[in-house]
Amino acid sequence: MEMTTAFTLNVRLDNVAVVTIDAPDEKMNTLKAEFGGQVRAILKQVRENKTLRGLVFISAKPDNFIAGADINMIARASSAQEAEALARQGQQIMAEIHALPIPVIAAIHGACLGGGLELALACHGRICTDDAKTVLGLPEVQLGLLPGSGGTQRLPRLVGVSTALEMILTGKQLRPRQALKVGLVDEVVPHAILLEAAVALALKDKPVDRRLPVRERVLAGPLGRTVLFKMVANKTEQKTQGNYPAAKRILEVILTGLTQGSSSGYAAEAKAFGELAMTPQSQALRSLFFASTEVKKDPGSEAEPAPLDAIGVLGGGLMGGGIAFVSASKGKLPVRIKDINPKGINHALQYSWQLLDKKVKRRHIKASERDRELALISGTTDYSGFRHRDVVIEAVFEDLALKQQMVAEVEAHCAPHTIFASNTSSLPIGDIAAQAARPEQVIGLHFFSPVEKMPLVEVIPHASTSPQTVATIVKLAKMQGKTPVVVADKAGFYVNRILAPYINEAMRLLTEGEKVDHIDNALVKFGFPVGPIQLLDEVGIDTGTKIIPVLESAYGERFSAPANIVSAILNDDRKGRKNGRGFYLYDPKGRKSKKQVDPAIYGLIQPTGEGKLSATQCAERCVMMMLNEAARCFDERVIKNARDGDIGAVFGIGFPPFLGGPFRYMDSIGAGEVVAILQRLAVQYGPRFTPCDTLLQMADQGLRFWPAKETDPVN
């Protein structure tokens, strides 16, 4: 049986060949190994047809050019040599495209990423649409890899070395106008005329290589290069803490190409690609990618979700404003905010205005789009306009009686089908629904702060929540651009429950005399984006510690915070960044300001020891408390599986992505080793480190959290 091809060649009357890319039965075009032969066959036809004047690559998909290479292809490689051969094959095909004697133009609409951009770079010219869906970038670093089909060599020559380094090291994606400005594309046109404009470009002579700006030419020279690479290497080391080997290899490979010429550069690129594909970091990051893709496809329940046409939000504070914003800007849903005070409504509207206006200033959206999205948000001090809301999300104070009152009011003022979703971080959903007339339509939807940035939401059904309510809320979360994880209605749910012992342990280290910045730096070195104490400052010490008594009363002593430290800090009016003073002091100049540890904090804590632990010892204590609690959550079915637990920890609290999440990390070191470390710590510091029964059992039987095939290390 002949395989349907993803590449179709049509020759127009003006002798321009148009190659249409359309991967069969796929939503996205991704480059697969089997496409190599198809492309080669087309290139052979092009070379043989002497009447052709130009060639255009264009996609038949409505919203993507080529979204990258198929990651499964890399997963199937069982050695560095096999992965290197994949890169060499990609390089070879790109070289054949580039060597064609006629002008070759990439006509780009939608996502043009990874291998897709590498194909476009191999063409002689590029033209893209001015559509919001169009983005260009090389995101391979996010999977612990580097571009393997010539991207590390072609991009610096096209846009200059400093722009290329920024794009490849961060995975930054450029919008059409940004791509035009740096010289990545030659023209930006409306979608309707993309093909015609590309054909017109193909009928011209081959585009002459763009002359780079003086700054980029200086930086590519021997002296500028040395300075630039040294500076970027230091900055990268600071950012990655040496936890991401891909960053270092990217610098080496680009430098090889600049100093030793292209052919050495291509050979170094393929070799580095093969070796990086086998690193545990890349395997963990790829597993995370697959897991998040699966979670995004998971409907949450078997039932069909109800239609979503309009939503309501109760409370115009920081959370309410953020929820309204993502519902309108991402979900394109009309949102009605209710607050007892007009000030609250104004605050929420202003919040959305600022976020949208920032996008206009950065040219991400047009002023007309900002106004259109803003027009979706309205406010009221009573329930007018709530009659037909499909979902009402509550974001009021953490007070059970108040939330129960909200349920009663929504049931009285809204439609019989309206779902009540509570953004609580600590109160049981079953208690909130206890007096409801329609408990099956009450559910938890826990956002993380700041709402517009944090990708995760926890969806929390209680015992009586209907499957349709679950499916509808999961659908809403996805419309808001979030990754939803369904968790059980137990104290702290999942994310806060594993976070609390981690932060508590950091507090204990403080009481033992360890310094604030020493503890934070230790966990940043381990791989967290910020340390536990800074995290507490960021979310607000008052908000962040609210959960501790709830957890303590549910699970006992292991959740108790060290003696009075929290109350001493709160009594001193320290809330963290939001009021400019917490464990750190913040300059009033705003987010960008430098923070420094407030020395007065040690007087409030009154440490009892000298603090003699190394960074590794500090990190070990905090992380092991988190891992032990995560294993308990797995056992109690707070999360459905290890996949959801890993996604929840990475997306909710920044657990180091290169370790793949707490469960993948425990699998990689083995349950026996986790138990041994916990037992050692329990002897040293007390019974809170006692390994839970699940871990003991797993260590005894040699079990793992993930099915074996998912985490098998590649030798």
Side-chain angles (χ1 to χ4, degrees), residues 66-77:
I66 299 172
D70 179 14
I71 301 173
N72 286 305
M73 175 171 79
I74 305 162
R76 285 194 286 273

Side-chain angles (χ1 to χ4, degrees), residues 662-678:
F663 295 102
R664 192 176 171 104
Y665 178 52
M666 286 191 275
D667 279 351
S668 69
I669 55 181
E673 180 61 13
V674 175
V675 164
I677 299 170
L678 282 165

Side-chain angles (χ1 to χ4, degrees), residues 181-200:
K181 193 175 171 188
V182 301
L184 184 55
V185 297
D186 305 284
E187 275 180 62
V188 175
V189 299
H191 189 195
I193 61 164
L194 176 64
L195 181 59
E196 294 313 312
V199 167

Side-chain angles (χ1 to χ4, degrees), residues 198-432:
V199 167
L201 199 57
L203 286 167
K204 294 180 183 167
D205 290 336
K206 274 191 190 178
V208 183
D209 281 347
R210 165 178 172 269
R211 191 161 165 79
L212 288 170
V214 172
R215 178 175 174 269
E216 287 289 0
R217 292 205 303 275
V218 168
L219 289 173
L223 191 64
R225 200 163 58 214
T226 310
V227 174
L228 175 71
F229 274 80
K230 195 163 181 179
M231 197 172 79
V232 172
N234 289 339
K235 199 171 162 188
T236 305
E237 174 63 30
Q238 204 181 342
K239 208 164 172 189
T240 63
Q241 297 287 324
N243 290 320
Y244 292 86
K248 194 165 174 228
R249 295 299 295 271
I250 288 167
L251 285 166
E252 287 169 7
V253 166
I254 294 178
L255 193 57
T256 301
L258 289 174
T259 50
Q260 298 172 34
S262 291
S263 58
S264 300
Y266 285 119
E269 178 186 86
K271 189 169 184 308
F273 182 87
E275 288 171 6
L276 285 170
M278 296 299 125
T279 59
Q281 292 88 342
S282 177
Q283 288 169 357
L285 289 162
R286 291 194 319 260
S287 90
L288 209 54
F289 173 81
F290 287 128
S292 76
T293 310
E294 271 181 36
V295 168
K296 284 178 185 141
K297 287 178 185 162
D298 189 339
S301 89
E302 307 288 296
E304 268 304 301
L308 285 164
D309 298 314
I311 72 159
V313 174
L314 304 179
L318 208 56
M319 294 306 282
I323 295 166
F325 169 74
V326 294
S327 306
S329 67
K330 293 268 187 7
K332 311 294 181 223
L333 288 164
V335 187
R336 188 92 159 148
I337 301 168
K338 178 189 176 298
D339 198 291
I340 47 175
N341 193 325
K343 254 189 193 158
I345 297 161
N346 285 340
H347 171 269
L349 289 168
Q350 197 182 357
Y351 189 74
S352 290
W353 164 266
Q354 284 167 343
L355 289 169
L356 287 165
D357 200 46
K358 200 181 280 178
K359 284 189 174 179
V360 173
K361 285 188 176 120
R362 289 182 176 165
R363 298 193 173 168
H364 292 179
I365 59 171
K366 296 188 177 90
S368 57
E369 285 173 76
R370 171 198 65 201
D371 299 347
R372 196 163 53 244
E373 286 178 15
L374 208 62
L376 289 168
I377 307 174
S378 60
T380 173
T381 51
D382 54 22
Y383 279 94
S384 59
F386 269 70
R387 189 78 224 136
H388 297 293
R389 302 281 143 178
D390 302 304
V391 176
V392 173
I393 304 170
E394 159 284 300
V396 300
F397 295 114
E398 288 287 271
D399 178 88
L400 182 60
L402 178 62
K403 291 184 190 280
Q404 288 176 336
Q405 182 194 329
M406 295 291 114
V407 173
E409 288 181 11
V410 164
E411 289 185 333
H413 291 99
C414 300
H417 75 274
T418 303
I419 292 172
F420 181 95
S422 172
N423 173 48
T424 176
S425 55
S426 59
L427 297 169
I429 309 300
D431 292 0
I432 296 171

